[in-house]
Amino acid sequence: MDLDTKRRADRRLDIVYRIGAGLTGLVLIGFGIAGLMIRLPLFDTQGEVIAGLSTNGALSFLSIAIGSLLVGAMVLGGIFASTVCVAVGAAFVASGLVNLYLMSTDFNILAFSMPNVIFSFVVGLMVMTFGMYGRFSGGLAEDNPFRQHRESRHRGRVPAPRAEGVGGSVGHGSTDERLRDAAGEPDHRVEQQAGARDAAADGGAPRVRGRHRADGAAE
C-alpha cells in the first residue's frame, strides 16, 4: 500500500499542519512587507531594525517568498503541508547556524544579528514540530495514516517461510533419510544384523532379509 499524497491526512493532523504553516507564513510575509516599505538596501550588511529584528532588502524578499510557500501549504493542507513545515523548519535551523558564523564578517548579506539567529532557531524548531506532529512519533493511534503506511510496508518486507530442502540438493543422510526413518522403514544395517542372528541360529550362512539377487529373484 502506497501513501496517497493526494488524500488529506486525518482531520486533526490536517488542522495542526494548516495552523503551523499559516501562522508562520503570515508572520514572515508581514515582516518582509515592513522591510520593503522603508526601501532598505538589498545587501546592506548593517540593516535596519524592524520589530526587534535586523533586516535588509534581500532578507525582506526572502521572508515574503518563504511566507508565501507556507501560506500555499496551508491552503493545500494534508501531507504536503506537513512536508513543507518540516523542510522550512530545518532550513531555518540551518540558516541560524550559518548566519551565526557569518554575522561578524563581510559576508553577512542578510544583515543578521543575534536576535535574528535566535528567531531562526525558535521558528525553525516550532515549524518542524508542527510538521512532525502525528507523523514521526512512536505512540501513534491505530487509525493514523502514517502508522498504517509504515505497518503495511513492514508486512510487505517479511519473507515467506521456506520449506526445508526446497531448491537444494539432497545428499546422503539428508531429508529422504529422515523421512524414511519417520515412516518406519527398516534400515539396511538392521536387516543385516537380523540375517546374521538367523544364520547363527540355523547354523548356516548368513541371510539378508528382503534382499534380491542380481537376476531379480528373491533368496
Side-chain angles (χ1 to χ4, degrees):
M1 182 183 75
D2 294 332
L3 187 61
D4 188 0
T5 56
K6 297 180 181 178
R7 182 179 179 183
R8 291 179 181 175
D10 183 81
R11 181 176 177 82
R12 292 169 297 178
L13 301 179
D14 190 48
I15 292 175
V16 173
Y17 302 150
R18 287 173 180 268
I19 291 176
L23 290 179
T24 308
L26 292 176
V27 170
L28 292 176
I29 291 175
F31 177 74
I33 292 176
L36 292 179
M37 289 179 63
I38 59 177
R39 298 184 178 183
L40 296 174
L42 191 60
F43 295 110
D44 183 16
T45 57
Q46 299 298 323
E48 295 288 338
V49 177
I50 297 178
L53 301 175
S54 178
T55 185
N56 58 11
L59 184 59
S60 298
F61 279 114
L62 186 61
S63 299
I64 294 175
I66 297 177
S68 301
L69 175 62
L70 290 171
V71 171
M74 178 196 68
V75 173
L76 296 177
I79 298 172
F80 178 75
S82 171
T83 304
V84 170
C85 285
V86 173
V88 170
F92 263 81
V93 174
S95 174
L97 291 173
V98 172
N99 286 284
L100 179 62
Y101 172 76
L102 294 178
M103 67 180 184
S104 58
T105 67
D106 295 334
F107 299 98
N108 188 20
I109 59 176
L110 296 180
F112 257 61
S113 61
M114 185 55 67
N116 295 66
V117 173
I118 297 174
F119 179 81
S120 293
F121 288 150
V122 172
V123 172
L125 293 175
M126 181 185 68
V127 176
M128 274 198 299
T129 302
F130 276 113
M132 291 180 178
Y133 177 78
R135 184 171 183 176
F136 298 104
S137 58
L140 301 179
E142 294 183 357
D143 59 346
N144 184 280
F146 301 103
R147 176 178 175 179
Q148 292 176 354
H149 175 62
R150 287 196 291 267
E151 289 179 351
S152 64
R153 291 183 60 185
H154 177 71
R155 287 194 297 268
R157 289 197 300 264
V158 175
R162 183 179 179 182
E164 185 179 2
V166 175
S169 60
V170 179
H172 178 70
S174 59
T175 305
D176 289 346
E177 204 172 45
R178 291 196 298 270
L179 293 176
R180 185 173 62 249
D181 294 341
E185 295 183 5
D187 190 84
H188 177 61
R189 290 188 299 272
V190 177
E191 295 177 357
Q192 288 181 339
Q193 293 173 3
R197 286 196 301 269
D198 293 343
D202 296 343
R207 293 182 301 171
V208 179
R209 297 179 181 178
R211 298 302 297 254
H212 298 274
R213 294 193 301 267
D215 55 359
E219 293 181 352

